[in-house]
Amino acid sequence: MIRATLKSLLARKLRLFLSGLAVVLGVMFVSGAFVLTDTLGRTFDAIFADAYEGVDVNVAAKPKIAVSEMEGEQTAAPVPAAAVDKVRAVPGVATATGVVAADGARLIGSNGKAVASFGPPQLGENWTGESEQLRLREGHEPRADDEIVINQGLATAGKVKLGDRVGVLTPLEPKQDFTIVGIFGYSGGRDSIGGSNEIMFTTPTAQRLMLGEPNTFNSVTVKAAGGVTDESLRDAVAAAVGDGYVVKTGEQLSTEAAQGFKEALSFFNRILLGFAAVALLVGTFLILNTFSIIVAQRTRELALMRAVGASRRQIIGSVVLEAIAVGLIASVFGLAAGIGIGALLAWAFGNLAGGLTLAGIGVPAAAVIGAFAVGLVITVVAALLPALRASRIPPIAAMQDVATPDRPLTRITVAGALVTAVGAALLFLGLSGNAGDNTLTTILAGVLFAFIGVALLTPLISRPVVSLLGAIFAWSVPGKLGRLNSGRNPRRTAITAAALMVGIALVTGVTVILDSAKGSISALAKDTIKAELVIAGSQSGPRPPSFDPAVLDKAAALPGVQLVDGEYGDMAMVNGQRTWVAASSNVTALERIFGAKATAGDISRLGPDQMLFSSDTAKSRGVSVGSTVNVQLSRGEARSYTVSGIYQSSQFTNPVVLPPQAARDFAIPQPIQGYLQLAPGTRVADVQPQVERLLADSPEVSVADRDAFIKQQTGSLDGLLQMIQILLALAIVIAVLGIVNTLALSVLERTRELGLLRAIGLRRAQTMRMITVEAVVISVFGALLGVVVGSGLGAAVVRALKDEGINDLILPWGQIGVMLGLAALIGVVAAVLPAIRAARINVLGAIAHE
């Protein structure tokens, strides 16, 4: 039986190759995700090991506000110079060096633009001298307050050289000019560590620009004396400095820093695995169809096996063995492709992050286990139903010319209705917010059940819908035949179309959600923001771009400018709870620019010891006008404010507003957005160029009219949509393979029929058109199904997000039309090889074919 199975498998190499290719693509995503995260994880291990190589013990003050990686850059509390002296006096300390190293120092390159960084920090530091790791390659150390040294990686990216006069932007002060007096690199010929851009100042300048306080540091780097272990020195230093400081060994810091990046990578890994799951779901439909057709074609062969003594278990084992063989081979090739894709993505990430030196490409055990587990499980599960069907073939079928009869659709329809109902219930539970901590899992399960349920219901509607779609081509004989063929086997047509439906539905659903979000935000912004000009920049790192506060005063003095408001923002502890707070340079903007209405107290003015709350935040925190609230900002000491007013919450108002004086203690004490309201009759085109000139020293921000600003803010949704469409394209490619596979197997199945059609006068070109019509009808049916299901799922999510401000349901009619047109094109492309094969059939041989 095993020999017979293997011979049968080798006799059907092409058809099984096409179904195996679907598994290869899905496994490629799974193994590629693990290879990528393993490579990048080991890369960051090496980077942070290098970064803390010269550190035995590190001392840092506890931050006033804890900020997560997703919320931005942590603002370190200052370490006074006296603390450095205290550490230096601890027995066992060889050296103790005060270090200034804070993110946010941006060099303005030779093109007049700030050198960007997509991930690695842009550090402003104090020069502490050369070491075994760091060496000057050109020039000398900074000796004057207007001198800097930079790493070679930054010099290359900014296209600057020794002796150049350059501008530098820092978080605490506007642009200042410096002379590059030195360029340094790292051991091993490296131009940077992990792609970081580094600018080193004299210590007083670094303290002023990066910390805002003289005689303070971010941390203290400690080297142990001979014979003293890092752990014992850590404990001794911790006892000396007290509870206000965090004392760790260099090894601890390296491990924790790398772990933080690995957690972010695990999120990315889950996204890739999610798309792999979609690809494998589509592949399951393809494999199911392939084995169903093969079993149908082998009815007589399998019946003959039964007649000569094969048991039902052996028949099932035969089909499952074929599936195992296909799964094993596909897993091997999928793993190899995944290693290549993982290496390619790691290379792309390294270049995007500024030239990371990648660790060697490794293949973790998870990639190998995942590849073979997924490949085998998906293939065997997909082949199980056809295997059971094969075992039920009666031996008597070997004695007659058997055609597989159509089975009633009652059971599959009932099952589809039940599964769809379960999916709808899970979606309702998740989208209504009643799933607790399992909301995302519930929604994903609901989507999966909905797809499977619709796929089970598809045979019920395939024949009438396909017949209707095929009527478009029924004006010719090939068109009529193609129409009849596409509706001949509802189950086969449904499974083939369902594979395409999944990919199209997900693309359509995501497009509906993001377009609705974009439309709702744009409409609300146009109704809410009463400013003709907005100063802002696009955030590419952990810190938003900022600009010189003096620009606000100068802009207010321009002819035709009626009101100017600068918005500052920071994370703070408000009565012990983490809260985003804002400060406004002109509090009247709440009413005059953002249309906020007072619900209690006065929101038109704000004293230095007063604050405002939005109505939702005030209610949740239990505060009212007259309440005293304690606020701890990123810098400075905690202080108390009195609530003087409460305003109605909206999408464009901050939860808490502090007086402008408070911005001095923000992590970024400069405005991150500016709003200009013009006097009636003033043209935007007359004022905008004047504001642009005021922003000459702030290259990260620009001034735009309100519509352009709104488009800029919603542009990130377009980028997200494009990324999702690219990743889901794999599922659509697999669906196309499914159509090719189904047609190719269908041509083999109908060899005699095609020979008879050719014998009675059907020409080769007509035969090819017949196959093409069949493919186009099936693919358009799948796309139409996907558009309907995707629009429904998208509309449900939009409805559930109504309380979040997404009020407008926008159906992307243009994209729907494009997808249906592409589906027709997909059908034409998918039909090419099967149509050519059908046209080349030998007429006499086909008539004699059994």
Side-chain angles (χ1 to χ4, degrees):
M1 197 68 189
I2 293 175
R3 285 198 299 272
T5 299
L6 293 177
K7 285 183 178 179
S8 172
L9 182 65
L10 292 173
R12 298 171 177 83
K13 293 187 286 289
L14 179 61
R15 65 187 78 173
L16 291 171
F17 166 76
L18 291 173
S19 58
L21 190 57
V23 181
V24 168
L25 294 173
V27 169
M28 178 184 73
F29 243 138
V30 173
S31 55
F34 285 117
V35 169
L36 172 65
T37 50
D38 175 75
T39 301
L40 293 181
R42 287 184 293 105
T43 297
F44 284 114
D45 282 340
I47 287 171
F48 289 112
D50 284 344
Y52 294 103
E53 184 180 0
V55 179
D56 291 337
V57 172
N58 181 268
V59 181
K62 291 181 179 178
K64 297 180 183 296
I65 306 293
V67 177
S68 69
E69 291 284 342
M70 301 298 290
E71 293 171 330
E73 187 69 21
Q74 180 74 64
T75 301
V79 178
V84 180
D85 295 333
K86 184 182 290 187
V87 171
R88 193 175 289 127
V90 174
V93 171
T95 62
T97 307
V99 175
V100 176
D103 196 2
R106 292 92 71 204
L107 181 85
I108 298 176
S110 60
N111 60 359
K113 297 181 180 179
V115 179
S117 173
F118 299 94
Q122 297 176 292
L123 297 172
E125 304 168 274
N126 65 323
W127 175 261
T128 57
E130 292 183 298
S131 65
E132 293 181 4
Q133 190 180 29
L134 183 152
R135 285 277 186 253
L136 280 169
R137 294 181 181 175
E138 297 179 68
H140 57 82
E141 73 278 3
R143 297 165 182 162
D145 288 346
D146 66 342
E147 294 180 345
I148 56 172
V149 296
I150 63 175
N151 65 348
Q152 182 64 62
L154 178 56
T156 302
K159 296 181 180 179
V160 295
K161 61 184 185 302
L162 196 71
D164 282 354
R165 192 75 174 169
V166 296
V168 176
L169 303 171
T170 56
L172 304 183
E173 293 194 17
K175 188 195 91 167
Q176 296 190 22
D177 293 328
F178 295 86
T179 300
I180 300 175
V181 298
I183 296 176
F184 64 90
Y186 288 92
S187 58
R190 293 169 298 168
D191 294 341
S192 68
I193 290 184
S196 298
N197 294 332
E198 294 177 85
I199 302 174
M200 293 191 179
F201 312 88
T202 62
T203 295
T205 304
Q207 291 169 337
R208 175 171 57 85
L209 296 179
M210 305 309 299
L211 303 181
E213 296 183 47
N215 299 316
T216 57
F217 301 92
N218 283 100
S219 62
V220 184
T221 297
V222 182
K223 290 288 289 181
V228 179
T229 65
D230 294 352
E231 290 73 16
S232 62
L233 183 59
R234 175 198 60 195
D235 297 340
V237 170
V241 296
D243 294 337
Y245 293 88
V246 178
V247 184
K248 295 180 180 179
T249 64
E251 185 178 352
Q252 281 180 297
L253 290 173
S254 174
T255 302
E256 290 175 5
Q259 187 60 39
F261 276 91
K262 287 179 180 178
E263 288 175 4
L265 285 174
S266 68
F267 175 75
F268 183 60
N269 189 43
R270 286 193 290 270
I271 292 175
L272 288 179
L273 291 176
F275 285 105
V278 173
L280 289 166
L281 174 63
V282 175
T284 302
F285 287 115
L286 192 160
I287 299 164
L288 176 62
N289 220 14
T290 300
F291 278 93
S292 295
I293 295 172
I294 289 174
V295 167
Q297 290 175 347
R298 294 172 58 197
T299 297
R300 199 167 181 185
E301 174 191 330
L302 294 170
L304 189 60
M305 287 185 179
R306 291 292 312 280
V308 297
S311 66
R312 290 184 62 180
R313 180 177 297 178
Q314 286 178 307
I315 296 296
I316 293 173
S318 173
V319 178
V320 170
L321 183 60
E322 286 188 23
I324 291 173
V326 171
L328 278 173
I329 295 169
S331 296
V332 170
F333 283 100
L335 176 61
I339 294 170
I341 289 294
L344 180 64
L345 290 174
W347 174 84
F349 183 92
N351 280 275
L352 183 65
L356 283 178
T357 302
L358 295 174
I361 301 300
V363 184
V368 178
I369 295 169
F372 284 96
V374 167
L376 281 172
V377 169
I378 291 296
T379 312
V380 171
V381 167
L384 204 54
L385 283 177
L388 291 171
R389 196 176 304 140
S391 71
R392 296 186 183 123
I393 295 173
I396 196 67
M399 309 298 178
Q400 50 189 314
D401 188 13
V402 178
T404 305
D406 281 344
R407 287 168 287 126
L409 299 176
T410 306
R411 282 194 291 182
I412 196 171
T413 301
V414 171
L418 290 173
V419 174
T420 304
V422 171
L426 289 171
L427 282 170
F428 175 79
L429 188 65
L431 295 174
S432 62
N434 294 319
D437 295 335
N438 300 313
T439 298
L440 181 60
T441 303
T442 304
I443 291 174
L444 292 176
V447 170
L448 178 62
F449 275 93
F451 279 143
I452 295 173
V454 171
L456 292 172
L457 290 172
T458 302
L460 183 68
I461 61 172
S462 65
R463 186 166 283 167
V465 175
V466 164
S467 179
L468 185 63
L469 291 172
I472 301 171
F473 306 98
W475 49 270
S476 65
V477 171
K480 289 178 181 177
L481 290 172
R483 175 191 182 190
L484 292 172
N485 287 335
S486 59
R488 175 185 293 186
N489 191 322
R491 279 184 170 80
R492 184 180 304 174
T493 299
I495 293 173
T496 307
L500 186 60
M501 177 265 293
V502 172
I504 297 290
L506 288 172
V507 170
T508 303
V510 170
T511 304
V512 168
I513 295 167
L514 293 182
D515 279 2
S516 298
K518 196 165 77 169
S520 299
I521 292 170
S522 297
L524 184 60
K526 288 177 181 178
D527 290 341
T528 303
I529 299 175
K530 307 301 180 185
E532 287 77 14
L533 290 171
V534 181
I535 300 171
S538 297
Q539 185 171 346
S540 60
R543 295 177 180 272
S546 58
F547 57 95
D548 187 351
V551 170
L552 300 172
D553 296 329
K554 294 175 182 177
L558 294 175
V561 175
Q562 183 172 274
L563 175 65
V564 174
D565 173 48
E567 291 287 317
Y568 304 75
D570 195 15
M571 187 64 71
M573 296 296 289
V574 178
N575 273 352
Q577 291 182 274
R578 286 159 42 82
T579 309
W580 178 261
V581 299
S584 173
S585 66
N586 190 336
V587 74
T588 61
L590 264 176
E591 294 177 292
R592 296 170 61 183
I593 291 181
F594 299 106
K597 303 295 182 185
T599 60
D602 184 3
I603 65 170
S604 64
R605 60 179 63 88
L606 197 59
D609 295 318
Q610 295 178 323
M611 67 188 302
L612 306 176
F613 268 81
S614 68
S615 53
D616 288 348
T617 308
K619 183 178 180 181
S620 64
R621 303 295 173 86
V623 301
S624 58
V625 173
S627 297
T628 299
V629 176
N630 183 271
V631 178
Q632 173 64 66
L633 298 170
S634 293
R635 306 178 196 276
E637 299 302 321
R639 61 175 299 177
S640 296
Y641 292 88
T642 301
V643 179
S644 61
I646 296 174
Y647 51 89
Q648 189 172 5
S649 301
S650 79
Q651 297 295 316
F652 291 93
T653 55
N654 289 292
V656 175
V657 176
L658 297 173
Q661 296 89 338
R664 290 194 299 264
D665 289 332
F666 281 18
I668 302 176
Q670 298 184 79
I672 56 180
Q673 286 182 342
Y675 297 87
L676 282 72
Q677 194 176 76
L678 306 184
T682 303
R683 295 194 319 149
V684 169
D686 293 335
V687 179
Q688 188 170 350
Q690 300 180 69
V691 180
E692 286 174 350
R693 287 193 288 272
L694 296 177
L695 293 170
D697 287 341
S698 302
E700 293 180 308
V701 299
S702 59
V703 60
D705 62 54
R706 182 182 59 182
D707 291 342
F709 167 71
I710 294 170
K711 187 175 181 181
Q712 178 193 54
Q713 298 302 303
T714 57
S716 58
L717 295 178
D718 292 327
L720 177 62
L721 178 60
Q722 289 173 2
M723 183 188 73
I724 292 173
Q725 287 173 335
I726 290 170
L727 290 171
L728 287 175
L730 177 63
I732 296 174
V733 168
I734 294 174
V736 174
L737 290 175
I739 297 172
V740 174
N741 207 15
T742 300
L743 291 175
L745 293 171
S746 182
V747 167
L748 287 173
E749 190 178 41
R750 301 190 332 239
T751 299
R752 192 170 188 223
E753 174 189 319
L754 290 168
L756 289 170
L757 288 172
R758 291 291 313 283
I760 62 175
L762 194 70
R763 297 188 299 276
R764 284 189 173 185
Q766 290 178 312
T767 302
M768 293 178 71
R769 287 206 300 274
M770 177 184 71
I771 300 296
T772 302
V773 166
E774 186 176 348
V776 169
V777 168
I778 291 173
S779 60
V780 171
F781 172 52
L784 188 62
L785 200 61
V787 164
V788 172
V789 173
S791 298
L793 289 173
V797 173
V798 170
R799 176 66 184 84
L801 295 174
K802 188 173 183 179
D803 292 340
E804 303 299 324
I806 302 179
N807 301 309
D808 300 334
L809 174 63
I810 297 176
L811 296 177
W813 296 111
Q815 280 199 315
I816 287 174
V818 168
M819 281 188 280
L820 292 176
L822 284 175
L825 180 61
I826 285 170
V828 173
V829 172
V832 170
L833 291 177
I836 291 173
R837 183 164 187 162
R840 290 178 176 173
I841 284 177
N842 181 283
V843 176
L844 294 177
I847 292 173
H849 180 80
E850 290 187 4

